[in-house]
Amino acid sequence: MKLTEEEKIIAVETTQQILAGVDRQNRGQLIPVLQKVQEKLGYVPQVTMEKVANHFAVPAVDVYGVITFYNQFRLTPPGKNQVKICMGTACHMRGAHIIQEAWERRLNITVGETTRDREYSLERVACVGCCTMAPVVVINEEVHGKMTPTRVDGLLFAHQLDKQKAKEGNADNEQ
Amino acid sequence: MAEKVTITIDGRTVSAEAGEMLLWAALDNGIYIPHLCADREDKENPAASCRLCFVEVQGRPVPVPACTLPVSEGLVINTRSERVDGLVAAAFELLMSNHKLDCKNCPANGNCELQRIAKERKLRLKPKNLPVLERNLPVDNSVAGLVYDPNKCVLCGRCVRACRRGGNAVLGFTRRGYDRVVTTFGDVPLAESGCSGCGECAGACPVGAFSVQK
C-alpha cells in the first residue's frame, strides 16, 4: 500500500524523535523502539525500519524479520474501522476462516491490510471471550456474534447507510 | 596452536583440537554426520537448527547435536543408535515434507546435501508418513545469473550468513512458523534489494534453493 508524502514525513520525524538518545550499541532497544513507533503511528512504516536498522547498524532485513515475526506489529496504517476476526478455538470450529474469506472478498484486501480509502483494516485476533456467539467479529469495540458471509454484507451495507445519513445530516445543517 | 585431545568416535580413536566442535572433528577424520545448518566459517555461534547432527555421548542421558558439542579429552561418541536414527529420521522427514522434490530438473542434483543424507542414512527423500505441503512461492530470477527458488529452501541459514560475509547483507529470515522464509527487506525481488549478484549464497546453499544459472 502506498503512503502519502505527508505520512512519510510524519514517520521520519517520529522515528528520529524516538531514536534520539537511544544508545547505538544497545541492540536490545530495537524492539522497544519499534513498539514506541507503533504506539505513536499505529503501524511501523518501511522508512522507520530502514532508519532503525541504520541506527543500530544491523541489516534492514533483520528489522523486517523482527516486524514480521511478532504479531503485535502492523506494516500498514490502521483503517478508520478496524475489523477483527476472532480465530479462537470455538470460532475456528464454527468456520472463522469462511468469515475471514468473506471479509477479504468484500473489502478486496487480505488480513493485515487496509483498504485503499483507509476505511477498513482487517486483522485476525485470538479469543475475544464470547465463545457462545462463535464465530465472532469485533468492529472497533462492537462485538458481532454468529457471523455468516451474508451478515458481512449486511454490516458493510448498514455502515455505508450510516455514513450516507451522516453526510446528508451534515448537508442539512449547512443549509 | 590449540591443545590436542584424543577422542573415540564409533570405536575409532581420532585426535582433534580441544574446544573444536565435534561435528568438524568427525568430518575432518572422514566420519560422516548429517548436517545442514552448521557453518565452518561461523564456529562461534552454531545455529543448531536443522536437528540432523545428533550423536550419542557416553555418560549423557540423551543424544546431543554434534555441532554444539566441544570436544574434550576422552570423549566417547557413537554416531548411530536407535535413538539418534529416530531423531534424524523425524527431522529429515519434516524437512522433506515441504521441500519441492524435483531432483531431475534441480540444479543441485548430484551435489545435494539432502540426497547425500538420504543415501548415507538410508532415508527416503519422499516422506512416508507425512503429506507433502507445497508452498508455491514465486521463483526469483531477477538478478542475472542467480535463481532463488524458496520452495526448495530448508531454512538452514547458510545463505544469510554468506550474504553478510561476502555480499551486501540483503538476505534474512522473516515471518514465523510454517511461513518462515529467507527473503529481502520488504520482500522485494533480489534485483531491487541491493544484491550485488556475487553468488555467495549459491555457493553456500546445501540444496537447490539458490543456484547459479548457466
Side-chain angles (χ1 to χ4, degrees):
Chain A
M1 131 163 268
K2 279 262 178 286
L3 298 179
T4 61
E5 284 307 313
E6 194 190 349
E7 278 172 324
K8 275 186 195 159
I9 293 165
I10 293 172
V12 170
E13 277 174 4
T14 314
T15 314
Q16 273 163 351
Q17 267 170 26
I18 290 167
L19 279 176
V22 177
D23 183 7
R24 285 172 186 271
Q25 305 296 318
N26 188 359
R27 288 187 191 165
Q29 284 296 309
L30 174 66
I31 289 175
V33 163
L34 294 173
Q35 282 170 324
K36 276 180 203 153
V37 171
Q38 166 136 328
E39 208 175 283
K40 275 255 170 74
L41 300 174
Y43 69 112
V44 186
Q46 289 219 343
V47 279
T48 297
M49 288 191 259
E50 279 163 351
K51 285 236 175 292
V52 172
N54 211 346
H55 185 89
F56 291 111
V58 293
V61 65
D62 274 2
V63 180
Y64 183 64
V66 169
I67 297 280
T68 51
F69 185 90
Y70 293 107
N71 262 334
Q72 72 175 120
F73 291 117
R74 287 186 63 96
L75 282 159
T76 50
K80 274 182 212 147
N81 299 289
Q82 294 184 35
V83 180
K84 297 175 197 130
I85 306 155
C86 178
M87 286 286 162
T89 315
C91 292
H92 174 81
M93 292 310 292
R94 301 277 295 180
H97 60 281
I98 296 170
I99 306 302
Q100 180 189 325
E101 273 165 28
W103 281 107
E104 286 179 338
R105 209 168 36 241
R106 281 285 149 225
L107 298 175
N108 211 6
I109 52 173
T110 56
V111 162
E113 291 181 344
T114 307
T115 51
R116 199 180 278 268
D117 59 5
R118 305 285 168 94
E119 276 296 324
Y120 300 95
S121 58
L122 201 57
E123 53 189 303
R124 289 156 58 114
V125 294
C127 188
V128 295
C130 45
C131 305
T132 51
M133 291 157 71
V136 177
V137 165
V138 183
I139 304 174
N140 299 326
E141 296 304 311
E142 208 172 290
V143 179
H144 300 271
K146 300 210 189 321
M147 286 300 295
T148 59
T150 345
R151 284 205 59 206
V152 172
D153 294 352
L155 282 170
L156 278 171
F157 186 62
H159 186 252
Q160 261 153 17
L161 277 184
D162 282 350
K163 231 172 71 178
Q164 217 165 3
K165 246 185 215 162
K167 226 187 218 169
E168 278 165 14
N170 281 341
D172 283 345
N173 289 341
E174 278 167 24
Q175 272 172 4
Chain B
M1 192 69 198
E3 193 190 339
K4 287 270 178 191
V5 293
T6 310
I7 56 174
T8 312
I9 308 175
D10 291 346
R12 262 180 63 189
T13 311
V14 300
S15 86
E17 269 178 38
E20 190 186 12
M21 294 308 169
L22 174 71
L23 177 64
W24 307 120
L27 292 174
D28 289 344
N29 285 287
I31 298 162
Y32 183 72
I33 298 173
H35 60 100
L36 283 173
C37 68
D39 195 334
R40 235 177 226 279
E41 303 196 22
D42 189 10
K43 289 181 177 171
E44 300 301 312
N45 306 300
S49 58
C50 69
R51 316 315 283 170
L52 290 173
C53 65
F54 279 108
V55 292
E56 291 274 359
V57 183
Q58 209 173 70
R60 298 252 189 129
V62 289
V64 292
C67 65
T68 58
L69 183 72
V71 295
S72 54
E73 183 64 40
L75 206 61
V76 180
I77 304 293
N78 276 312
T79 60
R80 300 290 293 270
S81 78
E82 212 171 287
R83 288 191 299 179
V84 165
D85 286 357
L87 284 168
V88 173
F92 191 73
E93 187 156 8
L94 280 166
L95 276 176
M96 296 313 292
S97 75
N98 67 357
H99 174 81
K100 191 173 127 200
L101 207 54
D102 186 19
C103 293
K104 228 165 87 186
N105 302 313
C106 181
N109 193 11
N111 185 27
C112 172
E113 275 301 315
L114 295 172
Q115 289 177 335
R116 183 169 180 200
I117 293 164
K119 201 174 154 219
E120 293 275 346
R121 290 284 159 112
K122 303 210 164 38
L123 295 166
R124 301 158 57 105
L125 282 169
K126 204 172 163 14
K128 196 168 64 179
N129 303 314
L130 298 170
V132 177
L133 300 165
E134 283 185 16
R135 285 182 288 185
N136 287 323
L137 298 168
V139 173
D140 187 347
N141 54 7
S142 59
V143 169
L146 201 62
V147 187
Y148 172 43
D149 185 349
N151 301 301
K152 290 178 182 163
C153 180
V154 290
L155 298 175
C156 66
R158 280 202 213 176
C159 54
V160 175
R161 274 168 270 149
C163 191
R164 272 152 213 212
R165 276 198 298 266
N168 287 351
V170 297
L171 292 176
F173 283 114
T174 63
R175 295 179 179 78
R176 177 161 64 161
Y178 182 63
D179 295 322
R180 193 131 175 100
V181 66
V182 171
T183 182
T184 57
F185 181 69
D187 299 312
V188 294
L190 282 168
E192 294 164 32
S193 70
C195 169
S196 62
C198 64
E200 287 284 331
C201 46
C205 187
V207 297
F210 273 103
S211 56
V212 175
Q213 198 170 31
K214 281 165 206 134

